[in-house]
Amino acid sequence: GAGVSQSPSNKVTEKGKDVELRCDPISGHTALYWYRQSLGQGLEFLIYFQGNSAPDKSGLPSDRFSAERTGGSVSTLTIQRTQQEDSAVYLCASSLREDTGRAFFGQGTRLTVV
Amino acid sequence: QKEVEQNSGPLSVPEGAIASLNCTYSDRGSQSFFWYRQYSGKSPELIMFIYSNGDKEDGRFTAQLNKASQYVSLLIRDSQPSDSATYLCAVTSYDKVIFGPGTSLSVIP
């Protein structure tokens, strides 16, 4: 597809379980961002990739959160031992390195921890 | 000081009026400035960008940039109920885009 693809669209998990969220960016986009958005709130920055490197991980809320990117393409955000406060929409965006402000967002993954 | 700041709103304007959305940023080295629109339950989408001081017009939208004051604004003329959304200001800094918290706009019919 031509856009940013995220999977799954919705995920319901039990507290304490691990979850993996996937982002497939637009082909050729070297910059990739993960954000979290709670209901009615703004974008909470989590992590930024340039290629496979993560120059800025400052937004990851705790060591239960990790992310990786392989082949300069697909990225996976992993949340271990999920808590109810992790419930939110997780958004991924990608952009060209030379035009990093023109970010294209995926449709998001709605995570519900019960 | 937060890197990109916006009034959270909500900003309410009557249909047909001009909506004015404001944004300030902290990094004087920022070169590129963007406005995104996010409808409720949807992902943000880019609607305007501006790189040089002054005004840039696109239809009913005008972006204004003043680098000396570190200030960016978005004017929406002839506001329509369909413009009701959250508007996010974004700034590039050190090869990365930084988003503001967004301003919620409500256009009242």
Side-chain angles (χ1 to χ4, degrees):
Chain A
V4 178
S5 178
Q6 291 186 245
S7 60
S9 298
N10 283 283
K11 176 72 176 179
V12 179
T13 189
E14 291 182 353
K15 178 180 172 181
K17 300 283 189 183
D18 297 352
V19 294
E20 282 190 354
L21 311 180
R22 176 187 168 107
C23 173
D24 199 343
I26 293 172
S27 178
H29 281 195
T30 58
L32 186 147
Y33 303 81
W34 283 100
Y35 298 93
R36 179 168 71 175
Q37 191 170 39
S38 300
L39 189 63
Q41 302 299 307
L43 295 176
E44 178 186 1
F45 169 77
L46 297 178
I47 188 168
Y48 159 60
F49 286 94
Q50 188 58 252
N52 291 336
S53 302
D56 190 349
K57 306 178 183 179
S58 62
L60 294 176
S62 73
D63 59 8
R64 295 188 296 106
F65 287 72
S66 63
E68 64 175 13
R69 189 178 185 194
T70 55
S73 181
V74 171
S75 176
T76 303
L77 177 69
T78 301
I79 309 173
Q80 295 178 310
R81 305 181 302 281
T82 52
Q83 304 295 311
Q84 287 186 329
E85 61 262 29
D86 299 334
S87 296
V89 175
Y90 289 80
L91 289 164
C92 174
S94 71
S95 66
L96 293 169
R97 178 174 190 144
E98 61 270 23
D99 202 4
T100 191
R102 297 196 199 206
F104 293 82
F105 283 80
Q107 82 283 10
T109 294
R110 181 175 298 279
L111 175 66
T112 304
V113 182
V114 298
Chain B
Q1 180 187 8
K2 292 186 178 178
E3 296 177 82
V4 181
E5 299 197 45
Q6 299 179 252
N7 290 331
S8 61
L11 173 66
S12 293
V13 299
E15 185 174 354
I18 295 175
S20 178
L21 304 161
N22 304 316
C23 170
T24 58
Y25 59 95
S26 61
D27 180 10
R28 283 199 171 274
S30 297
Q31 294 295 317
S32 306
F33 308 87
F34 304 83
W35 284 98
Y36 286 74
R37 178 177 61 200
Q38 185 176 24
Y39 290 117
S40 181
K42 301 294 186 183
S43 296
E45 58 176 344
L46 179 67
I47 56 171
M48 286 286 286
F49 59 90
I50 186 166
Y51 302 141
S52 304
N53 277 330
D55 295 0
K56 179 181 178 182
E57 188 174 316
D58 183 2
R60 295 185 296 111
F61 297 92
T62 299
Q64 298 176 317
L65 173 62
N66 183 326
K67 289 187 179 180
S69 300
Q70 295 173 248
Y71 177 89
V72 193
S73 65
L74 179 70
L75 301 178
I76 306 175
R77 290 182 300 283
D78 188 25
S79 295
Q80 301 297 309
S82 58
D83 294 327
S84 297
T86 296
Y87 289 81
L88 302 162
C89 174
V91 173
T92 54
S93 179
Y94 298 104
D95 212 25
K96 188 180 82 172
V97 65
I98 301 170
F99 285 88
T103 297
S104 174
L105 172 67
S106 180
V107 180
I108 311 301

